[in-house]
Amino acid sequence: MMKQSEINNVEQIYKDSSALLEGHFKLSSGNHSQFYLQSAKVLEDPKTAKLLAEELAKQIKESGIQVDAICSPALGGLIAGFALATALDVRFIFAERVDGVMSIRRGFEVQEGEKYIICEDIITTAGSALEAAKQVEKDGGEIVAFAALANRGFCSRVGSNSEQKENCKLPKDMPLFALDDFTFEMYDPDNCPLCKDGSIAYKPGSRGN
Ligand code: ZN
């Protein structure tokens, strides 16, 4: 079992959980990469999920930000968001896509002026997180921060000096809390060194992972 002190090396936790895969991957963007993050695997052990969320909650508490509730975009953000809400002892709701449009259903009610953190498992360009945020705002909620276990390095997180890239969709003045940056190189398929070495990229999930 993992101790709190071991949370410092988030990358190692991902590797130990087989959540950080190494190979030759075809990403949903169409680009190729040598690495792939499968956050669901790191959350498979509830104790690990709890410890990671507690570490994230600690950062949020230390920032002094007040939060009333967490909202996660389904499906990817559900476990991370629930674990974070547990660690912060606040309410948890989720947004889901209906015919491609993010919406808040299932009787969840956003109160006027309620302060929300939008929580994902991984923040890439933060597209889904931002769509969930817009739904919360539409119902009168206030977004105070975004959070994720892992940041893919396009957005800039609190405590890291990496610059926000152009394709990050988060507003620049909005804090993003995440445990670590996972910045891997991505290649255009026509210019992929792994393809040039003769291997074939595969889509994670297509071989049972
Ligand atoms: Zn390739």
Side-chain angles (χ1 to χ4, degrees):
M1 199 191 128
M2 207 176 312
K3 294 189 202 77
Q4 188 69 44
S5 57
E6 294 167 49
I7 290 295
N8 294 333
N9 196 339
V10 175
E11 189 177 319
Q12 194 58 50
I13 295 170
Y14 269 71
K15 280 182 181 159
D16 291 347
S17 309
S18 306
L20 177 57
L21 309 177
E22 192 169 356
H24 183 189
F25 304 103
K26 189 175 180 179
L27 307 175
S28 50
S29 62
N31 288 323
H32 291 187
S33 172
Q34 192 182 348
F35 299 97
Y36 185 78
L37 273 182
Q38 184 63 276
S39 262
K41 280 294 289 177
V42 87
L43 299 170
E44 191 178 40
D45 177 2
K47 292 190 193 75
T48 305
K50 182 171 181 276
L51 288 175
L52 291 170
E54 281 169 354
E55 184 60 26
L56 197 55
K58 198 173 115 202
Q59 285 187 25
I60 293 164
K61 283 180 190 159
E62 280 170 4
S63 77
I65 282 176
Q66 294 299 309
V67 51
D68 299 315
I70 305 291
C71 177
S72 288
L75 186 67
L78 291 185
I79 299 167
F82 177 81
L84 180 62
T86 306
L88 288 170
D89 194 20
V90 298
R91 221 151 52 80
F92 173 71
I93 69 168
F94 59 88
E96 61 198 296
R97 281 188 202 283
V98 181
D99 297 327
V101 182
M102 197 67 85
S103 52
I104 293 169
R105 316 172 78 203
R106 300 181 193 258
F108 291 140
E109 280 179 30
V110 175
Q111 308 295 332
E112 189 74 34
E114 245 184 343
K115 292 174 168 48
Y116 276 84
I117 290 179
I118 306 294
C119 183
E120 270 279 24
D121 54 350
I122 309 172
I123 287 279
T124 306
T125 62
S128 299
L130 198 65
E131 283 178 67
K134 284 187 173 145
Q135 289 308 307
V136 169
E137 284 175 332
K138 195 187 78 182
D139 292 346
E142 185 194 336
I143 308 301
V144 291
F146 288 79
L149 300 176
N151 176 34
R152 277 286 281 103
F154 298 110
C155 297
S156 175
R157 70 184 170 97
V158 174
S160 165
N161 49 18
S162 63
E163 293 263 314
Q164 181 166 325
K165 308 283 188 301
E166 220 167 83
N167 49 5
C168 174
K169 295 189 174 80
L170 294 184
K172 280 212 164 69
D173 54 350
M174 186 60 76
L176 166 64
F177 295 94
L179 297 175
D180 207 353
D181 294 318
F182 288 84
T183 312
F184 341 117
E185 227 165 318
M186 289 184 299
Y187 310 108
D188 187 291
D190 294 333
N191 202 15
C192 171
L194 303 163
C195 285
K196 282 186 182 138
D197 284 347
S199 81
I200 293 167
Y202 74 91
K203 231 184 160 83
S206 61
R207 286 187 193 170
N209 57 0

